[in-house]
Amino acid sequence: MASLSFAISPSPYHGRLLQQVRTPTRISCSGMKLDEESSNGSFKKVGNVACGILLTWAVASSPALSANQRLPPLSTEPNRCEKAYVGNTIGQANGVYDKPIDLRFCDYTNDKSNLKGKSLAAALMSDAKFDGADMTEVVMSKAYAVGASFKEVDFSNAVLDRVNFGKADLKGAIFRNTVLSGSTFEEAQLQDVVFEDTIIGYIDLQKLCRNTTISEDGRQVLGCR
């Protein structure tokens, strides 16, 4: 009989995900015993996905994402930037992956076709350039985009759920019929941003309205007081 157990212990996790500086937590998957019927690897795959879900939970609940603490080393894969054109293949909304999509410092300026509708869930996007790109219908759940540049990017019909846009440049970006649930814009540049039929929670809206770079028209559309 195949069995799977998970262990959570209070020691630093040295995997490929974010490392917490405060209250570090280690997550390990152990006890996967395969019998002859499961030796074809199918159970192992299920175990890997289950472990990935736990790792995703740890990243989502970690203060490291919002506090800009330690990130994994920059990927050395030669074609890492091209992975944005494929996006995530599993766990799109929850950001489940065996390793993160590392798009840091990549340049997608004026890309009008490759990013549209892609899932970039849990992507590391800090200091990347997307100026003028068509990112309509993208899914950026739990993405880390601190310091990235999204000037005049079209995010129409996109799902930007729990994205950290801290210190990002979003001048002239278009959020039309865009989901912005749980996303943060601390110190982001939001001049001339179009907010039209934006889907955003009341608490998230209050936080967004604190950004003083939003134009008066934008504040009226959002309903900022």
Side-chain angles (χ1 to χ4, degrees), residues 146-167:
V146 171
S149 185
F150 297 93
K151 290 183 288 187
E152 300 183 1
V153 168
D154 190 351
F155 284 113
S156 296
N157 303 312
V159 177
L160 308 180
D161 175 52
R162 290 163 288 178
V163 179
N164 189 338
F165 284 111
K167 299 182 180 180

Side-chain angles (χ1 to χ4, degrees), residues 26-225:
R26 174 181 153 195
I27 296 179
S28 62
C29 298
S30 61
M32 289 192 296
K33 300 177 182 178
L34 306 181
D35 53 26
E36 292 181 358
E37 294 180 358
S38 62
S39 60
N40 59 4
S42 60
F43 179 76
K44 182 178 180 181
K45 291 180 181 179
V46 173
N48 288 340
V49 172
C51 187
I53 293 174
L54 278 183
L55 295 177
T56 301
W57 165 81
V59 173
S61 61
S62 167
L65 277 175
S66 59
N68 193 20
Q69 296 172 358
R70 297 178 63 184
L71 293 173
L74 190 67
S75 173
T76 57
E77 294 185 38
N79 299 321
R80 66 181 180 86
C81 293
E82 295 179 8
K83 290 192 174 182
Y85 303 148
V86 179
N88 299 76
T89 56
I90 62 172
Q92 295 180 354
N94 292 319
V96 179
Y97 49 77
D98 58 349
K99 61 182 177 179
I101 296 180
D102 195 346
L103 309 179
R104 288 174 288 181
F105 301 100
C106 295
D107 191 344
Y108 304 98
T109 302
N110 293 323
D111 191 311
K112 300 297 186 182
S113 59
N114 292 305
L115 301 175
K116 181 177 180 179
K118 294 298 187 300
S119 174
L120 302 176
L124 301 176
M125 310 169 75
S126 52
D127 298 299
K129 293 185 65 176
F130 297 86
D131 299 345
D134 183 349
M135 298 185 73
T136 57
E137 302 179 2
V138 300
V139 176
M140 282 172 56
S141 178
K142 300 180 183 176
Y144 186 81
V146 171
S149 185
F150 297 93
K151 290 183 288 187
E152 300 183 1
V153 168
D154 190 351
F155 284 113
S156 296
N157 303 312
V159 177
L160 308 180
D161 175 52
R162 290 163 288 178
V163 179
N164 189 338
F165 284 111
K167 299 182 180 180
D169 191 343
L170 292 146
K171 298 186 188 76
I174 300 173
F175 296 108
R176 181 176 292 115
N177 195 37
T178 305
V179 175
L180 291 176
S181 55
S183 295
T184 56
F185 297 85
E186 187 174 353
E187 297 184 50
Q189 298 299 312
L190 299 173
Q191 293 92 334
D192 302 318
V193 169
V194 175
F195 294 102
E196 184 178 323
D197 297 323
T198 303
I199 303 170
I200 183 171
Y202 179 70
I203 300 300
D204 297 328
L205 176 60
Q206 286 184 314
K207 294 178 181 178
L208 178 58
C209 288
R210 293 177 191 149
N211 190 304
T212 58
T213 66
I214 302 176
S215 67
E216 189 59 35
D217 289 342
R219 296 182 69 83
Q220 290 181 5
V221 171
L222 288 170
C224 297
R225 298 179 180 178

